[in-house]
Amino acid sequence: MVLACIQIFCASLNHRVVLFPCAHIQSLWSFCSCSARKVQRRQRNLVAAMWGGSCPISMSPPTEKYDVFLSFRGEDTRDNFISHLSAELCRKNIKTFIDYRLDRGKEISPALYREIEQSMIYVIILSEHYASSTWCMDELTKILECKQIYGRDVIPVFYKVDPSNVRNQRESFEEAFIEHQQRFRDKVDTWKDALTQVAGLSGWDSQVTGPEHTLVTDIVEEILKKKKNRHRFLSNCEGTIGMDKHIEQIKSLLHLESPAVRIIGIWGMGGIGKTEIARAIYHRFATQFNSSSMILNVEQEIKRVGLSNIHNKYISELLEEDKLSSKLQCSYVQRLRQTKVLLVLDDVNTSNLTIKHSNFGQGSRIIMTSRDKHVLKNAISDEIYEVKEMCFQDSVQLFSLNAFKQNYPIKAYVDLSEKLVLNHAKRVPLVLKNLGLLLHGRTRDAWESELQKLQEFPDEDTFKVLKLSYDSLDDRQKNMFLDIACFYTGHLVNDVARTLDSCGFSADIGMDVLKDKGLIFISEGRIGMHYLIQKMGHEIVRWECVDDPRNRTRLWNPEEIYHVLKNKGTNAIRCIFLDVCKINKVQVHGKTFKKMSNLRIIQFYKPSGFWNDDSNVILPESLKSLPHTLVFLRWDNFSLKSLPLKFCPKNLVKLDMRGSNLEQLWEGDQDQVLPKLKRLDLSYSRKLTRVPDLSLCPNIEQIILSGCVRLVDIYSSSFLNKLNFLCLHDCVELRSLNLRRDGLSRSSGLVVLYGCVRLELVVLVESLYFLF
């Protein structure tokens, strides 16, 4: 503490105010020991008064409306010093709040408190009668409160008064408090503490710095410097949060001591901070190379000026040639091969930009950032560094710098800040910054309103950045991405791949592309997708038709599906996924599916254990058909006795109707061929009495008829060479199972007959696993 006080004392000597004149170090040591305790005690009292309610504290983070707030005693300074100072501030375009009212009353209005909160720098003119004004003392208390809470700058100006008299409340300051003692007993101690605190700050003494116009000029220059430093601080803080970790990890990949040429890729989703990392690497290590060049937004620049101009730009910068000559190209290539360079290319998303190790001199390092990992692979990168989300602590700091202009959230906003960082920004730098700037200066109600909005719609600026990766996909890849975003996040990757393949997409190469572009990832055998990317996918679908979900390709919202089922669909709809437990009971229109000529998936499912309950989706007997384009049809608790007569299932790959009211698949003898069907699941369809000749399903792999308690016979008139799983447990009335000798050809096939107590005839292949 003593050392800290000595540092404060010494620092004050560098400014224009001598706060603690002292002849000997020993007396200084003694002074610091007692003064430190006194200042600590008074600061505790002041902070307690601040939070105790002596001054109203705004519940919203203040917007910095003014550069400077001037606090002064009008009768001492209005017509001289203040008029000169305000004129110079105006001349320098420094936005200043000055309260010119002559009769300012006894108490500060809430409006003036807001003006104080919305100012960035406070200049306090401590004149002879400053303390005699209760208005000035309340202003000062509020100013120091804002300094404590928001980290604002305070510049005291001791105008024709001795700083020690202010600090110790002597002479006119002592007289003022004697007058205040009776009427404002509850505030006097707080006011004294405020004067002591402000007198301890570095400031200006008019009796040391003169003449007056020089003092005014010096004060304005200091204000300009503080403004500049504050902006630089905020900018630097944003760019350095969490940066050391990235720099150290990338430095280990650069192998700066090696004479080999190395290409390092920096890869990650849009908005994750690749550009800032590359910029930091460039500024940190550029001096270790003979020459350096950094080109930002390469993809955008290629579109604007062309690929050859990008090549010429970095060559001219690396060789320090103002203008390149086409006649000297060979010379440039040779010189570049002899030069140790650092080249940073940001946002490279095309493989047409040719970067080769052999083009650069020994020890050169090329750093490329990209949203597309495949581009970095094509560049034969020696290492690829993946940029992931920020840690929680760094995320809160970055968000706070933009929302509150300080390193941490304001007390009243801690809970909302955490929700935004964890639930919506998801620790992505671009989103943290955008949301912070959007909410800066807004009320708590506005924050809560934005939180509610973000539940449904992503931040617009974030959406545009993330969508760049989507826009670079071809049509099939876009459809794959939207299917995964809307329906398959968290599903087993092999199941999703088979589903996408069945829909006509090339799943293996398509998912590789999506992974390389950072749109999906695989974790423990399941497909994952960043929350913000998934929200972006949802928003793309919503924008297909904002007002009418019938004209969107994919439906998953129960309310929107209710609207479609109640009316008629359109040929825009490709997929419908619905947990039928989450929709209100709806009578489906008889012609709902008539115009859905491109529908490939219906998934009306229930959670396990609810299959035997009544369905909320009620079908009319007039339903004559389903779209012939259907590839997957799952409809738990399907309410009709058979599938629609005019439904042609030639494209059907999966048919799942658990707990249905089906008595048979087709009415009468109108059995349909199912040439592509691989899976048939009619389990717990307790009214089912027959299934068609399974030879109509030549590619069937799985048949699940568990719990079909009225089913008597299962038969195939030809071989089912692909069948590998047959589950018939609890088919208590089943008497005959005849799938011919070679019906199950795979040795790994499994037949489950547990609970088939009446089974009399079984004709199956040998060497199978049976479970009775």
Side-chain angles (χ1 to χ4, degrees):
M1 176 57 72
V2 173
L3 290 175
C5 291
I6 293 174
Q7 287 173 350
I8 292 171
F9 170 74
C10 294
S12 69
L13 292 176
N14 292 330
H15 290 76
R16 292 84 180 159
V17 182
V18 179
L19 300 178
F20 309 121
C22 184
H24 303 285
I25 289 294
Q26 184 61 43
S27 59
L28 172 61
W29 189 277
S30 174
F31 166 79
C32 289
S33 298
C34 64
S35 292
R37 290 192 295 273
K38 183 177 179 183
V39 170
Q40 265 190 326
R41 184 173 63 254
R42 290 191 173 182
Q43 284 182 337
R44 283 197 300 269
N45 292 340
L46 180 59
V47 172
M50 289 175 182
W51 290 103
S54 62
C55 297
I57 297 177
S58 170
M59 294 307 291
S60 63
T63 303
E64 290 175 353
K65 184 177 176 182
Y66 302 100
D67 296 321
V68 171
F69 181 97
L70 289 182
S71 177
F72 61 94
R73 183 73 166 107
E75 66 183 47
D76 289 346
T77 59
R78 179 182 292 109
D79 296 329
N80 41 58
F81 183 72
I82 289 297
S83 64
H84 300 151
L85 179 58
S86 62
E88 183 65 10
L89 290 168
C90 182
R91 195 175 71 82
K92 294 290 186 179
N93 295 316
I94 299 173
K95 194 173 183 181
T96 307
F97 180 86
I98 305 175
D99 190 351
Y100 280 116
R101 285 173 288 181
L102 296 175
D103 183 12
R104 303 203 290 181
K106 297 178 180 178
E107 293 188 359
I108 296 182
S109 66
L112 187 57
Y113 276 127
R114 284 194 296 273
E115 306 294 1
I116 294 173
E117 288 180 337
Q118 293 175 340
S119 301
M120 185 171 69
I121 300 169
Y122 307 105
V123 179
I124 302 169
I125 314 301
L126 295 159
S127 58
E128 183 179 4
H129 298 103
Y130 184 89
S132 65
S133 167
T134 59
W135 183 286
C136 287
M137 294 312 301
D138 280 340
E139 263 186 3
L140 177 61
T141 304
K142 178 64 179 176
I143 285 169
L144 293 176
E145 172 192 319
C146 290
K147 179 182 185 297
Q148 173 75 20
I149 298 173
Y150 307 128
R152 302 284 167 74
D153 290 311
V154 177
I155 302 174
V157 178
F158 301 93
Y159 186 73
K160 297 182 179 179
V161 295
D162 189 329
S164 65
N165 289 341
V166 178
R167 184 178 68 254
N168 298 308
Q169 292 92 58
R170 292 196 294 255
E171 296 185 3
S172 63
F173 294 88
E174 181 180 16
E175 295 168 4
F177 285 118
I178 292 172
E179 289 186 19
H180 295 329
Q181 190 65 43
Q182 291 185 350
R183 295 182 61 192
F184 304 100
R185 185 185 303 272
D186 58 331
K187 291 187 175 184
V188 164
D189 285 344
T190 300
W191 289 344
K192 286 183 177 180
D193 288 341
L195 281 174
T196 299
Q197 184 176 344
V198 76
L201 300 174
S202 297
W204 299 85
D205 187 344
S206 67
Q207 297 177 99
V208 174
T209 305
E212 194 166 288
H213 71 84
T214 301
L215 176 61
V216 167
T217 300
D218 289 348
I219 292 170
V220 172
E221 285 182 0
E222 183 175 355
I223 290 169
L224 289 171
K225 186 184 298 182
K226 285 184 180 295
K227 274 188 65 180
K228 184 177 180 180
N229 288 342
R230 185 175 180 83
H231 292 149
R232 184 186 296 123
F233 167 77
L234 292 174
S235 176
N236 288 344
C237 281
E238 287 179 17
T240 58
I241 296 172
M243 193 60 69
D244 288 343
K245 177 192 72 173
H246 294 300
I247 290 175
E248 286 305 310
Q249 290 179 352
I250 294 174
K251 181 182 178 182
S252 69
L253 303 178
L254 287 169
H255 296 292
L256 293 171
E257 71 286 352
S258 170
V261 177
R262 288 180 66 80
I263 298 176
I264 305 299
I266 300 177
W267 171 67
M269 62 182 278
I272 202 68
K274 302 182 294 295
T275 300
E276 291 302 322
I277 294 170
R279 198 197 308 266
I281 292 289
Y282 179 82
H283 289 302
R284 177 72 65 90
F285 299 115
T287 56
Q288 299 184 30
F289 296 83
N290 296 335
S291 63
S292 59
S293 172
M294 178 168 59
I295 301 179
L296 302 178
N297 302 313
V298 168
E299 183 177 28
Q300 182 178 325
E301 288 297 297
I302 289 175
K303 292 177 181 177
R304 189 176 69 87
V305 298
L307 187 61
S308 61
N309 281 290
I310 300 299
H311 281 291
N312 291 339
K313 182 176 181 181
Y314 75 70
I315 290 172
S316 64
E317 290 181 359
L318 292 174
L319 298 180
E320 298 180 355
E321 294 279 356
D322 292 335
K323 190 174 181 180
L324 299 180
S325 170
S326 58
K327 297 179 180 179
L328 299 175
Q329 283 296 323
C330 292
S331 169
Y332 299 145
V333 171
Q334 190 61 33
R335 286 171 58 191
L336 200 56
R337 288 174 177 170
Q338 296 173 352
T339 307
K340 179 182 177 181
V341 305
L342 173 62
L343 173 60
V344 174
L345 299 171
D346 169 60
D347 195 28
V348 180
N349 292 293
T350 175
S351 298
N352 294 328
L353 187 64
T354 306
I355 300 293
K356 296 180 179 179
H357 292 73
S358 58
N359 290 344
F360 303 94
Q362 283 192 350
S364 292
R365 297 294 179 268
I366 294 86
I367 296 173
M368 302 169 64
T369 77
S370 182
R371 298 186 302 273
D372 191 338
K373 194 174 187 178
H374 191 66
V375 169
L376 300 177
K377 292 176 183 175
N378 283 344
I380 317 179
S381 298
D382 297 282
E383 300 281 354
I384 296 177
Y385 177 74
E386 181 181 358
V387 185
K388 297 184 178 179
E389 298 94 333
M390 303 178 82
C391 70
F392 176 72
Q393 183 178 353
D394 290 343
S395 299
V396 172
Q397 185 181 357
L398 179 58
F399 176 76
S400 298
L401 279 170
N402 289 281
F404 310 110
K405 306 307 177 187
Q406 60 186 36
N407 283 322
Y408 49 87
I410 291 174
K411 186 176 181 181
Y413 287 78
V414 171
D415 58 332
L416 295 178
S417 297
E418 288 183 357
K419 286 181 182 178
L420 282 161
V421 169
L422 289 173
N423 299 339
H424 298 287
K426 295 293 182 180
R427 299 178 290 139
V428 173
L430 174 69
V431 190
L432 292 164
K433 184 174 181 178
N434 286 347
L435 288 179
L437 292 172
L438 174 67
L439 295 169
H440 173 60
R442 300 188 187 277
T443 64
R444 187 179 173 89
D445 286 344
W447 278 53
E448 290 175 343
S449 175
E450 183 64 23
L451 270 169
Q452 187 174 0
K453 175 187 170 186
L454 288 170
Q455 299 280 1
E456 298 183 41
F457 313 116
D459 170 67
E460 186 176 346
D461 291 336
T462 305
F463 172 78
K464 290 177 181 177
V465 172
L466 295 178
K467 191 172 178 286
L468 292 173
S469 294
Y470 170 82
D471 291 338
S472 67
L473 301 173
D474 65 32
D475 288 343
R476 288 193 174 189
Q477 293 160 0
K478 286 178 179 178
N479 276 301
M480 287 179 60
F481 167 76
L482 293 178
D483 276 4
I484 294 171
C486 296
F487 309 124
Y488 298 125
T489 301
H491 288 226
L492 290 169
V493 64
N494 291 335
D495 290 347
V496 176
R498 283 192 292 267
T499 298
L500 295 173
D501 276 333
S502 297
C503 290
F505 305 130
S506 303
D508 288 341
I509 183 65
M511 286 199 290
D512 278 348
V513 170
L514 298 182
K515 283 190 291 184
D516 283 344
K517 292 184 180 293
L519 293 171
I520 65 171
F521 58 87
I522 309 299
S523 176
E524 297 181 353
R526 295 181 181 272
I527 290 189
M529 182 177 287
H530 193 281
Y531 170 84
L532 294 173
I533 292 177
Q534 185 177 31
K535 293 290 283 185
M536 181 263 289
H538 291 177
E539 190 70 355
I540 289 170
V541 173
R542 190 179 75 86
W543 273 100
E544 290 171 350
C545 187
V546 174
D547 300 323
D548 190 350
R550 294 180 302 171
N551 291 312
R552 298 178 196 161
T553 57
R554 293 157 181 85
L555 300 174
W556 65 91
N557 182 291
E559 293 180 4
E560 295 173 348
I561 294 173
Y562 179 93
H563 172 72
V564 172
L565 295 179
K566 195 77 175 172
N567 299 281
K568 298 177 185 179
T570 71
N571 63 1
I573 300 172
R574 304 290 194 275
C575 312
I576 306 176
F577 278 61
L578 171 67
D579 180 345
V580 293
C581 295
K582 295 181 179 180
I583 194 173
N584 293 328
K585 190 156 287 197
V586 56
Q587 177 74 47
V588 176
H589 192 285
K591 296 182 179 180
T592 291
F593 298 102
K594 186 175 182 179
K595 292 186 177 180
M596 296 189 194
S597 56
N598 291 306
L599 187 65
R600 51 185 167 86
I601 300 178
I602 293 178
Q603 289 263 32
F604 289 173
Y605 60 93
K606 280 189 171 184
S608 298
F610 291 88
W611 298 330
N612 294 319
D613 296 344
D614 291 335
S615 175
N616 288 333
V617 181
I618 304 168
L619 287 168
E621 294 294 333
S622 60
L623 185 68
K624 298 301 181 184
S625 183
L626 291 169
H628 304 332
T629 51
L630 277 175
V631 178
F632 295 94
L633 174 57
R634 176 176 175 180
W635 199 317
D636 294 346
N637 296 122
F638 185 75
S639 60
L640 299 184
K641 296 178 181 180
S642 62
L643 293 173
L645 188 61
K646 295 183 180 180
F647 172 41
C648 177
K650 61 181 181 180
N651 293 304
L652 210 57
V653 174
K654 284 187 181 181
L655 177 59
D656 289 0
M657 289 191 161
R658 306 172 194 178
S660 72
N661 284 329
L662 287 170
E663 295 178 5
Q664 52 189 357
L665 279 182
W666 315 107
E667 199 174 299
D669 297 325
Q670 304 296 319
D671 289 346
Q672 298 264 14
V673 178
L674 297 137
K676 297 182 180 180
L677 192 69
K678 294 182 178 181
R679 174 186 169 96
L680 174 66
D681 185 352
L682 305 177
S683 54
Y684 301 99
S685 297
R686 299 185 182 277
K687 297 180 181 180
L688 187 70
T689 58
R690 69 176 286 269
V691 292
D693 181 346
L694 293 176
S695 65
L696 297 172
C697 314
N699 289 298
I700 195 75
E701 296 175 3
Q702 297 179 354
I703 300 174
I704 306 169
L705 300 170
S706 309
C708 295
V709 295
R710 295 189 183 182
L711 188 61
V712 176
D713 176 62
I714 298 175
Y715 171 76
S716 173
S717 60
S718 64
F719 297 148
L720 302 176
N721 294 325
K722 296 184 179 180
L723 184 63
N724 59 65
F725 181 61
L726 175 63
C727 186
L728 302 172
H729 77 77
D730 289 338
C731 292
V732 294
E733 293 296 327
L734 185 66
R735 287 176 168 78
S736 173
L737 174 59
N738 186 350
L739 299 183
R740 298 176 62 86
R741 183 173 178 80
D742 292 331
L744 293 96
S745 61
R746 297 183 181 182
S747 60
S748 61
L750 177 64
V751 179
V752 180
L753 299 175
Y754 178 81
C756 298
V757 294
R758 297 180 184 273
L759 190 59
E760 298 172 355
L761 175 64
V762 179
V763 180
L764 290 170
V765 71
E766 298 174 1
S767 68
L768 291 170
Y769 296 101
F770 289 88
L771 180 60
F772 291 93

